[in-house]
Amino acid sequence: MTAPAMAELRVAHGVTGILHTFNEAGVLNLADVHTAHRITRLGGDESEPVQLALALTVRALRLGSVCIDLNTVGDTAAADGEDPVDITALPWPQPEQWRAACDHSPLVARGTDAPPGRPLRLANDLLYLDRYWHEEDRIRRELRQRAATDPPVDLPRLRSSLDRLFPDADRQRHAAAVSALRAVSVLAGGPGTGKTTTIARLLAVLHDQPGDPPRIALAAPTGKAAARLQEAVQQVTATLTDADRAGITDLHASTLHRLLGRRPGTRTGFRHDRTNRLPYDVVVVDETSMVPLTLMARLLEAVRPDARLILVGDPDQLASVEAGAVLGDLVHAHGTPDLRLESHLREVGAVPAGAEPTINGVVVLDRTWRFGGAIAELARHIRAGDADQVIDVLRRAPDGIEFVDTGTLADRRPTGLDGLRADILSTSRVLTDAARRGDVDAALYGLDTHRLLCAHRRGPYGVSRWTTEIETWLATDPRPSEEDSEWYPGRPLIVTANDYDLGLYNGDTGVVVRDGGGVRAAFARGGAPVLVPPSRLSDVQTVYAMTIHRGQGSQFHRVSLILPPAESPLLTRELLYTAITRARSHVRILGTEDAVRAAVQRPITRASGLRHTLTTAIGGPA
């Protein structure tokens, strides 16, 4: 289909005025326009400033923001397409007049005390869809209530267990102490900084407190992340003494949806809520950067007021696909030190030399233990937004870093792909050999040997195109004729929809293996692998390549990354950082220097009112 024809399909017919202008420019899409047109018509206010404000608020949610600022949205909005558009030439309303139009509209609730019932809310100079303002406000209120009191702690006993399990007065000891002393704490840091080690040892610390052993829940947003959390905690606890392992050896992680008790037929309704709280004393949530605003609100409502909630994650990674960036808001919120907490930290010897006072219960681990130096260095420069330093690392190509300047990957047969092809074929052989001999553990290990990541799903830089490319390469290693079936041993799989009966979740990966009973699909689950007959699988695909979003929460020994052109709106700092930190030992970037620079210099900006109103919400008891 030609570009003009595609553009025609994106324009809403029958809609005129300012909505049509912004739709035609690519700032608004069909859903934004039709939603705004319909609601303003039903609500009795079809003035163009209000129509545009509503459409942009809907658009903001679609792109991950919770609200818009009418004073700055004209400077921060951009066209959704890949062709740059001069948005300054569009007829933006004057901010003062725009705000006045919204302030007097019957569609807009004004202030934080106005009752619900209107589609929009203008609060603290930000415009929300009313439902999302209430979700944000629930999180504020829950955090404020939990910060008002400290959980009971035997300080001498805490110091004794910290001395045993965290003998060094470093940030891990500091993080464990903060999590023991506060009802809500945040443990942030990049991959390989020891977050899971800290959590596992922290659980032993909490178990050592007087009273009944704490009931502990481990959870993550996805099945893959939950499996990795469970496996990592089990590996750390296996290194502890028998006394410290007691009570924390049989922990199982689940998805947040399973923890909360998803109700069939609803996306946001759960069995556990404020009227039926979770029965746990400690709730640990890993990969919190992937948790959207609405799910975080449901979690906070469900956790008992006297329970500890420990949020773990990397705020520099991609945020949730849905609206909100709660972990980033928590980590970057301003605040004042909790003097009582600081006193207790000194008493238990958990203040590292030169450490700043703890703000809002947030501790950031910044020492990298897992990565080779080159990947850690590259990640650091990406986080800092220093494109020159990133390019310098790529040009030097230290051990663990490979940059393939492809010119363009849109060519049907691009050059410079020998290394990628070799990794693909090597991984396939490892998978196939292990799967044919029925070695499930080796097959699942081989599955994570190498992974190709793409920013796009479709197009010349997307998963679909590169899956076809890889299948062409693999055709050079023909399988025996008796294995020319859909379920051949060594076929890598990805689950594309949640299956609660099987305990498989969207994004889980596995591999087809042959055992004594025929072929089975094997999935890693922290403990023993889950083996499923192929006949019971419905929503699965072959996974030779995957999007970076799907790869979040996973780790691979080697990662290859296909970068789209610099103009791609998906190319951001967080996307690049997330992709390269999926690699344990080697990362290969295929693209252009222009694309790398564009990614490093383009951070994701998610509008939210949460960060700026958290200071008084979670500062701690007076």
Side-chain angles (χ1 to χ4, degrees):
M1 185 176 290
T2 65
M6 289 294 293
E8 180 69 16
L9 290 176
R10 292 194 294 265
V11 175
H13 296 286
V15 176
T16 60
I18 199 167
L19 290 181
H20 174 78
T21 301
F22 277 72
N23 178 209
E24 193 173 43
V27 174
L28 302 175
N29 74 4
L30 291 173
D32 307 331
V33 171
H34 286 304
T35 300
H37 186 261
R38 182 67 172 167
I39 291 178
T40 54
R41 186 175 182 181
L42 291 174
D45 185 356
E46 297 183 74
S47 63
E48 289 198 337
V50 174
Q51 283 187 331
L52 181 61
L54 178 50
L56 288 170
T57 307
V58 174
R59 173 189 183 274
L61 285 170
R62 176 168 56 82
L63 299 181
S65 291
V66 179
C67 56
I68 63 171
D69 185 336
L70 296 177
N71 294 309
T72 61
V73 68
D75 300 322
T76 58
D80 289 346
E82 296 187 5
D83 297 326
V85 175
D86 182 11
I87 63 169
T88 61
L90 296 174
W92 294 95
Q94 290 297 318
E96 298 82 6
Q97 298 172 358
W98 204 359
R99 180 190 169 94
C102 292
D103 206 35
H104 294 89
S105 173
L107 298 175
V108 181
R110 290 169 291 281
T112 59
D113 297 326
R118 302 187 184 191
L120 292 168
R121 180 175 295 262
L122 188 60
N124 300 316
D125 293 324
L126 300 174
L127 188 67
Y128 298 77
L129 289 184
D130 193 54
R131 173 198 164 190
Y132 284 86
W133 181 84
H134 281 285
E135 299 286 41
E136 192 177 276
D137 191 52
R138 285 189 184 97
I139 292 175
R140 269 190 296 269
R141 286 187 283 109
E142 288 286 346
L143 291 174
R144 182 179 296 114
Q145 292 167 6
R146 293 170 191 278
T149 57
D150 291 331
V153 178
D154 183 323
L155 292 178
R157 189 81 165 260
L158 175 59
R159 174 149 198 163
S160 174
S161 55
L162 289 174
D163 288 343
R164 186 174 65 256
L165 290 157
F166 296 91
D168 297 325
D170 58 10
R171 284 187 178 273
Q172 290 188 2
R173 179 178 176 125
H174 181 205
V178 170
S179 296
L181 292 164
R182 280 183 58 96
V184 179
S185 57
V186 178
L187 177 56
T193 53
K195 298 190 298 294
T196 308
T197 298
T198 303
I199 289 300
R201 292 176 177 270
L202 164 65
L203 297 179
V205 168
L206 295 177
H207 194 271
D208 193 44
Q209 284 289 299
D212 295 332
R215 292 164 292 182
I216 300 169
L218 304 178
T222 67
K224 181 72 172 178
R228 286 191 61 249
L229 171 63
Q230 179 176 321
E231 181 179 12
V233 168
Q234 289 174 347
Q235 288 175 348
V236 176
T237 55
T239 67
L240 304 180
T241 65
D242 290 343
D244 285 325
R245 278 203 308 270
I248 63 172
T249 55
D250 295 325
L251 296 176
H252 297 280
S254 71
T255 65
L256 279 172
H257 284 80
R258 180 172 284 272
L259 176 72
L260 294 174
R262 173 184 171 272
R263 290 179 179 171
T266 175
R267 293 181 60 197
T268 57
F270 297 98
R271 183 164 53 87
H272 290 289
D273 55 21
R274 64 173 57 257
T275 64
N276 180 30
R277 305 275 191 171
L278 289 164
Y280 301 104
D281 304 299
V282 180
V283 177
V284 178
V285 181
D286 197 13
E287 298 290 351
T288 309
S289 65
M290 300 166 65
V291 180
L293 184 82
T294 53
L295 186 56
M296 182 61 74
R298 301 291 80 74
L299 174 67
L300 284 167
E301 288 176 336
V303 174
R304 292 202 338 259
D306 58 341
R308 288 179 177 85
L309 176 62
I310 304 165
L311 304 176
V312 186
D314 184 352
D316 295 309
Q317 285 189 24
L318 286 166
S320 62
V321 176
E322 299 177 51
V326 179
L327 180 67
D329 287 338
L330 290 170
V331 170
H332 297 297
H334 296 292
T336 55
D338 177 351
L339 298 182
R340 184 176 177 184
L341 173 65
E342 294 300 316
S343 173
H344 288 164
L345 289 174
R346 287 192 295 271
E347 189 171 344
V348 299
V351 180
E356 296 290 331
T358 306
I359 302 296
N360 298 332
V362 176
V363 179
V364 179
L365 302 182
D366 55 7
R367 179 178 177 182
T368 301
W369 300 87
R370 182 196 304 156
F371 292 133
I375 295 178
E377 180 187 7
L378 185 61
R380 184 172 65 252
H381 293 319
I382 292 172
R383 285 200 313 269
D386 193 333
D388 289 337
Q389 288 294 330
V390 170
I391 295 298
D392 177 67
V393 174
L394 296 181
R395 286 174 176 169
R396 285 191 283 112
D399 187 40
I401 303 292
E402 182 182 348
F403 179 58
V404 181
D405 194 335
T406 57
T408 174
L409 287 170
D411 298 337
R412 187 66 193 94
R413 289 288 181 265
T415 59
L417 302 182
D418 292 345
L420 172 61
R421 187 175 185 274
D423 272 342
I424 294 291
L425 294 177
S426 174
T427 300
S428 177
R429 291 177 190 128
V430 169
L431 277 179
T432 301
D433 290 345
R436 286 175 176 171
R437 66 175 183 266
D439 191 336
V440 176
D441 290 337
L444 288 171
Y445 180 85
L447 186 66
D448 291 340
T449 301
H450 173 265
R451 185 57 51 85
L452 177 62
L453 300 177
C454 303
H456 292 189
R457 284 193 294 269
R458 302 177 186 85
Y461 305 90
V463 170
S464 56
R465 179 266 171 97
W466 285 93
T467 295
T468 301
E469 193 82 32
I470 291 169
E471 288 173 340
T472 302
W473 295 342
L474 294 177
T476 62
D477 287 347
R479 304 180 191 91
S481 58
E482 67 267 24
E483 295 182 1
D484 282 343
S485 66
E486 178 184 8
W487 301 103
Y488 56 86
R491 179 191 174 192
L493 303 172
I494 186 167
V495 178
T496 58
N498 293 337
D499 188 327
Y500 293 94
D501 293 331
L502 294 178
L504 297 177
Y505 302 94
N506 190 0
D508 285 358
T509 54
V511 60
V512 178
V513 299
R514 179 193 289 142
D515 64 10
V519 294
R520 298 286 187 271
F523 297 88
R525 268 295 170 268
V530 174
L531 297 177
V532 181
S535 59
R536 296 193 62 189
L537 297 173
S538 55
D539 297 298
V540 293
Q541 296 175 355
T542 303
V543 57
Y544 292 127
M546 68 184 351
T547 62
I548 298 167
H549 271 95
R550 280 195 181 277
Q552 196 167 355
S554 300
Q555 287 286 308
F556 311 100
H557 293 283
R558 298 171 67 87
V559 164
S560 296
L561 168 63
I562 301 291
L563 285 184
E567 308 82 55
S568 169
L570 296 181
L571 196 56
T572 64
R573 181 183 303 168
E574 290 79 5
L575 190 90
L576 181 59
Y577 172 82
T578 301
I580 68 123
T581 55
R582 298 311 90 206
R584 293 179 182 269
S585 60
H586 186 275
V587 62
R588 174 188 297 112
I589 299 176
L590 301 101
T592 66
E593 286 193 9
D594 286 346
V596 173
R597 287 186 180 276
V600 175
Q601 294 169 352
R602 188 186 295 154
I604 293 175
T605 301
R606 289 199 166 189
S608 163
L610 188 60
R611 179 179 307 187
H612 306 293
T613 54
L614 281 177
T615 300
T616 57
I618 57 174

